[in-house]
Every structure is written in structure tokens, then in C-alpha cells.
Amino acid sequence: MKRDSRLSSVLHALLHMAEQDGPVTSETLALCLGTNPVVVRRTMGYLRQAGIVTSERGHAGGWRIHADLGSVTLRQLHEALGEPATFAIGNRNETPECLVEQTVNAALEGTFAEAEALLLTRFSEITLADLASDFARRHSALRHSRNKS
Amino acid sequence: MKRDSRLSSVLHALLHMAEQDGPVTSETLALCLGTNPVVVRRTMGYLRQAGIVTSERGHAGGWRIHADLGSVTLRQLHEALGEPATFAIGNRNETPECLVEQTVNAALEGTFAEAEALLLTRFSEITLADLASDFARRHSALRHSRNKS
DNA sequence: TTTTCATGAAACAAATGATGTTACGAAAAA
DNA sequence: TTTTTCGTAACATCATTTGTTTCATGAAAA
């Protein structure tokens, strides 16, 4: 099953952008992510539409975060990306005539809905600022362990 | 995103089998599911390996449920199918060197793990007997509404 | 004003993975 | 011995994401 990794990608990109003062080009982000500048533009375009980032063309152009890190949640990013399907497991037929299959669908849908609600709740509780501070902690821990050795 | 619908499929098949006395052929199940007998064999084969169903060849052969309906949970079926990936969303790179990406992965993995745990818990709480009685309820409700009209 | 750098967007290619199909072998019963 | 049915391998199809190529457009620098 091929997973949608855009949320992971934009988080990676945004945290790198947060470390920079000026704008960051698609080229640079593509190098960070191990992909292609066009893919970066395509994906970041969703965030621009949602007002989370801005882009500038020409010399010294690139991408900037256009929001407070503490105000952007994973849920907002997920929504900006079009709320892609959460689960890789699903019903065989979404609108079956067969009563047996309707029963199966109802049971699975209820369960998936509950798990998705939990996921989205957690997403809404995590901000870019949280991740940035997690990163700072890891970074400093790494420095300490390097100094020791 | 293409979803794995095997759990949905086997539930559909098992409930149809529960309605029958004798064995049910792959051909019959394929008609119920709107697919191919070979696909049925392939998928039901996982359940046979797990001891949930048996198959017999030749005349009057086919598939039988080899367990008490109340003792088979959705979780067991999910496990029998090889515990396919739950989420259609995931990390871009599972073992990144980049500390930023490690931070992102850790946050997402924690959240996904929590949602998956909930899903599996719910799966372990639902048995085939539960679904069969849900079905009976729907079936009887349908008859009543038909009699009214 | 021309060149360079960057995004915007469309069109196409590649890769991936589930599902579907064909074909044939093996076993069991009529 | 013929029919039925599963078991399995190999291959085809389909959908979707991701990657690539290409060119147009805009903005700053030379």
C-alpha cells in the first residue's frame, strides 16, 4: 500500500523553513526532502492556498511561513492537504444492496470513525511550535552526547 | 488511495457462510462479493491458515466456518490477513538521518500508534456473532417495513 | 534592457501495489 | 472416468502517488 507522505513532507519542510531567516527555495527544500522541486511546489501550493505559507518569485524568492508556529496545528495542515483518506483499510463496496454487506460496512465504518476522530483530535493538539521545541531538545541532546564521547 | 478491502470481503463471505448449512463454494462467494473465485480462494486461504475456516475439494466441497461465531473477533481476522497497514498516511522516510525528520516521524508515529491501538481494541471487541445478530436485526426491520407499505 | 533566478502550471512518465484473470494440477465424489 | 472444486503460479489490469520534463511568467540583479 502506497502511503500519502505529504503531511510528513510539509512538516519536514516547514521545520527547516522555521530554522531560516529568509525564504527557502523549492530547490533547497527538494534537497532536504530527497525529491524534486516541482513536487515541493505542488505540495507547498496547498499550504499557500490555506494561507500557511507564502511564495515569492525571482531573485531571493522562495517559500516563507506566514503564520505563528504556535498557531499552526497538524490538523490544519492535514486539512490544507485536502484531508486525504486516513485508512488503508476500507469497505469493498461503499453502497451495497446486499444487507449482509451493509451490516459489515456499518460495523467497520463506526470503528474507523472512532479511530479517525481520535487521530484528528491529537492532530489538533500538536503545533509546529511543539515540533520545533522537540527538535531543539533532540538537537541539544545530540550535542551533549557528542561532547561526552 | 487504493484501500485493502480484504477484511470487508472476508466478513461478507463469513456471514453468508454462517447463513448456510453446508459448505459454500468459491464460485458462490465470488458471486456474492462481485469478484473472481480465485480471489476468494486467495483471500480465504489466509483464514484457513489461521484455522478459522476449512476447505474441501471435489463434489459438495467448498468453504466452512471452523469456529464458534462468538469466538472469532475482527482482530483475529485482521491478524489472519497479515495485519495489513492501517493508515494511508505515513512518514516519507522511515529511517531518516535528518534530525528534523526524526522529530516529525516521532510525533506522527506516536499519534498513529494511539489511533491504531484504539482501532485494534475495538476490533477485538466485535465478533462474528455480533455482526450476525446485527444482520438479523436489519433483516427483520426490513421485513416489517415491507409489511407496512 | 537583458540576464538570471525563481515560482506556476500542464502534460507526461515511472513506480507501486491491490485486484482481476488465465491456466493447469490435484483431490474427492458421483 | 468424468465432474466438481480447491491450490497455485504466472500474468494482466487498474488506480494512484510520486517523479520528470517543459515552458510561461514574474521579479530582481547586472
Side-chain angles (χ1 to χ4, degrees):
Chain A
M1 170 76 33
K2 180 165 286 182
R3 289 179 170 177
D4 183 331
S5 60
R6 290 177 305 160
L7 180 59
S8 167
S9 293
V10 299
L11 285 172
H12 190 175
L14 288 167
L15 290 191
H16 274 295
M17 287 159 66
E19 301 276 298
Q20 297 292 322
D21 272 358
V24 182
T25 66
S26 304
E27 180 79 35
T28 302
L29 291 175
L31 283 171
C32 290
L33 299 180
T35 182
N36 189 295
V38 178
V39 174
V40 170
R41 284 182 207 122
R42 186 189 292 158
T43 309
M44 296 295 286
Y46 291 103
L47 305 193
R48 183 182 50 223
Q49 282 182 8
I52 296 165
V53 300
T54 57
S55 60
E56 297 156 50
R57 302 209 250 198
H59 272 275
W63 299 89
R64 286 178 201 266
I65 299 180
H66 185 66
D68 188 78
L69 292 189
S71 75
V72 179
T73 66
L74 300 202
R75 175 148 191 185
Q76 279 176 271
L77 295 172
H78 182 249
E79 283 169 3
L81 293 172
E83 299 198 297
T86 305
F87 295 102
I89 303 176
N91 294 326
R92 176 175 185 84
N93 176 352
E94 290 302 335
T95 56
E97 286 191 31
C98 172
L99 209 56
V100 168
E101 189 156 20
Q102 286 176 23
T103 304
V104 171
N105 282 7
L108 290 180
E109 276 161 14
T111 307
F112 284 124
E114 201 179 343
E116 182 165 43
L118 175 60
L119 190 78
L120 293 181
T121 298
R122 288 289 173 273
F123 275 180
S124 70
E125 291 165 354
I126 302 174
T127 67
L128 288 181
D130 294 331
L131 295 185
S133 79
D134 277 3
F135 168 69
R137 199 172 311 123
R138 281 168 188 266
H139 193 65
S140 116
L142 187 64
R143 272 203 319 237
H144 282 288
S145 77
R146 271 188 186 143
N147 286 345
K148 270 188 197 165
S149 66
Chain B
M1 172 76 34
K2 182 162 287 185
R3 288 176 171 180
D4 183 331
S5 59
R6 290 177 305 160
L7 180 59
S8 167
S9 294
V10 299
L11 286 171
H12 189 175
L14 288 167
L15 291 191
H16 274 295
M17 289 160 66
E19 301 276 298
Q20 297 292 324
D21 272 358
V24 183
T25 65
S26 304
E27 180 78 34
T28 302
L29 290 175
L31 283 171
C32 289
L33 299 179
T35 182
N36 188 296
V38 179
V39 174
V40 171
R41 283 182 209 124
R42 185 190 293 157
T43 309
M44 295 295 287
Y46 291 103
L47 304 194
R48 183 183 48 225
Q49 284 185 6
I52 296 165
V53 300
T54 57
S55 61
E56 297 155 50
R57 301 208 249 199
H59 274 274
W63 299 90
R64 286 178 201 267
I65 300 181
H66 184 69
D68 187 77
L69 291 189
S71 75
V72 179
T73 66
L74 300 202
R75 175 146 190 186
Q76 279 176 272
L77 295 172
H78 182 250
E79 282 170 3
L81 292 172
E83 298 199 296
T86 305
F87 295 102
I89 304 176
N91 294 327
R92 177 175 186 83
N93 177 350
E94 291 302 335
T95 55
E97 286 191 31
C98 172
L99 209 55
V100 168
E101 191 156 21
Q102 288 178 20
T103 305
V104 171
N105 282 7
L108 290 179
E109 277 161 15
T111 307
F112 283 125
E114 201 179 343
E116 183 164 42
L118 175 61
L119 190 79
L120 293 180
T121 298
R122 289 288 173 274
F123 274 179
S124 70
E125 290 165 352
I126 302 175
T127 68
L128 288 181
D130 295 330
L131 295 186
S133 78
D134 277 4
F135 168 68
R137 201 173 307 124
R138 280 167 188 265
H139 194 64
S140 117
L142 187 63
R143 272 204 318 237
H144 282 289
S145 76
R146 271 186 187 148
N147 287 346
K148 271 188 195 164
S149 66

